[in-house]
Amino acid sequence: DSIQNMPDSIRKIIQDEINGVDAKSDMDSARKIHYLHHVFRLPWDKRVDSFWDVEYAKNTLDQSHYGMVETKERILEFIAKNRRVNSKKGMVLLLTGPPGVGKTSIANSIGKCLKRPTGIVSMAGQNDPVHMKGSKRTYVDSQPGIFVKELQKLEVKNPVLIIDEIDKIGSNSIRGDPSSTLLELLNPEQANTFSDNYLDFEFDFSE
């Protein structure tokens, strides 16, 4: 089923990979099989239905968090807007504040409000774009980036992804700028063509 749900251009690439698996070349075939395993675990056409219920969201937020009135109102405005347009595309909400005020916790509650699987990706101390975009298959022990892995784990194309500790992201002039990679993922004009180095093809992160 996975290969049937792929875009035609990517299906051809993957079919070539499958045809290239050779039982006589154990090491090369093992790498191809490992790669295909990651490809088939991607949620190519799996998504949860949109759920934009303002009253349900209000009750959920009130039960999980006391106070935080302005934050809750902004979240409810976000849900009401998406209900009006019945949006299928992902959007970005930025929560700011000092440590310990409940940013991550209330972000997790947004996932419950929308009835979507929710994952947390911490950026604290991350100074290598490879962490986000994966490593090329030519390297030993290469693997996909953290965002591809998170989608594989959550098994849907439109989960709620909490990018935590974003203010603590590092920099590495030798290997590149991880902030630029993050902007590529968060930019609505680029998210639908996000390219992980390991997968070596574009995957839609815009939902």
Side-chain angles (χ1 to χ4, degrees):
D1 290 343
S2 294
I3 200 167
Q4 295 302 320
N5 294 324
M6 296 175 187
D8 291 341
S9 58
I10 297 176
R11 188 184 303 124
K12 183 180 184 304
I13 294 171
I14 301 309
Q15 190 62 59
D16 289 343
E17 290 287 341
I18 293 172
N19 295 339
V21 174
D22 185 354
K24 296 179 181 178
S25 179
D26 292 341
M27 183 172 293
D28 188 51
S29 290
R31 287 182 178 180
K32 288 181 182 292
I33 291 170
H34 182 69
Y35 171 76
L36 292 168
H37 172 73
H38 279 294
V39 170
F40 291 138
R41 286 186 62 208
L42 285 168
W44 289 99
D45 200 32
K46 296 179 182 178
R47 51 181 61 84
V48 294
D49 293 334
S50 298
F51 184 77
W52 307 110
D53 190 315
V54 177
E55 190 63 31
Y56 178 85
K58 183 178 185 303
N59 292 336
T60 300
L61 293 172
D62 286 341
Q63 288 173 12
S64 62
H65 292 80
Y66 177 77
M68 303 181 75
V69 176
E70 291 185 8
T71 303
K72 290 178 182 177
E73 286 179 351
R74 178 66 187 91
I75 293 170
L76 294 176
E77 288 173 4
F78 160 80
I79 292 173
K81 177 183 176 180
N82 280 280
R83 180 180 182 178
R84 186 167 61 251
V85 300
N86 194 25
S87 175
K88 304 295 183 183
K89 290 296 181 182
M91 295 182 68
V92 178
L93 278 178
L94 176 63
L95 302 178
T96 63
V101 297
K103 299 185 294 296
T104 304
S105 176
I106 200 164
N108 198 53
S109 291
I110 293 174
K112 296 177 182 177
C113 291
L114 304 181
K115 294 188 176 182
R116 300 192 187 193
T118 303
I120 301 177
V121 177
S122 177
M123 292 289 106
Q126 295 299 335
N127 64 356
D128 191 343
V130 168
H131 177 71
M132 288 175 257
K133 293 202 73 171
S135 50
K136 292 185 178 296
R137 293 168 61 193
T138 51
Y139 295 107
V140 176
D141 296 328
S142 56
Q143 57 183 327
I146 187 64
F147 294 109
V148 166
K149 289 181 179 178
E150 202 63 28
L151 279 193
Q152 290 173 333
K153 184 173 73 175
L154 297 173
E155 299 182 338
V156 295
K157 286 194 73 173
N158 59 344
V160 171
L161 279 182
I162 302 170
I163 304 177
D164 202 14
E165 308 278 12
I166 197 171
D167 56 320
K168 297 177 183 175
I169 194 169
S171 62
N172 187 325
S173 58
I174 298 176
R175 298 191 178 184
D177 182 7
S179 298
S180 298
T181 302
L182 195 56
L183 285 173
E184 180 185 340
L185 184 76
L186 297 176
N187 186 338
E189 300 300 321
Q190 294 179 282
N192 63 332
T193 56
F194 183 79
S195 182
D196 182 276
N197 291 326
Y198 179 79
L199 296 178
D200 200 25
F201 55 71
E202 295 175 350
F203 192 81
D204 187 358
F205 271 83
S206 66
E207 295 186 40

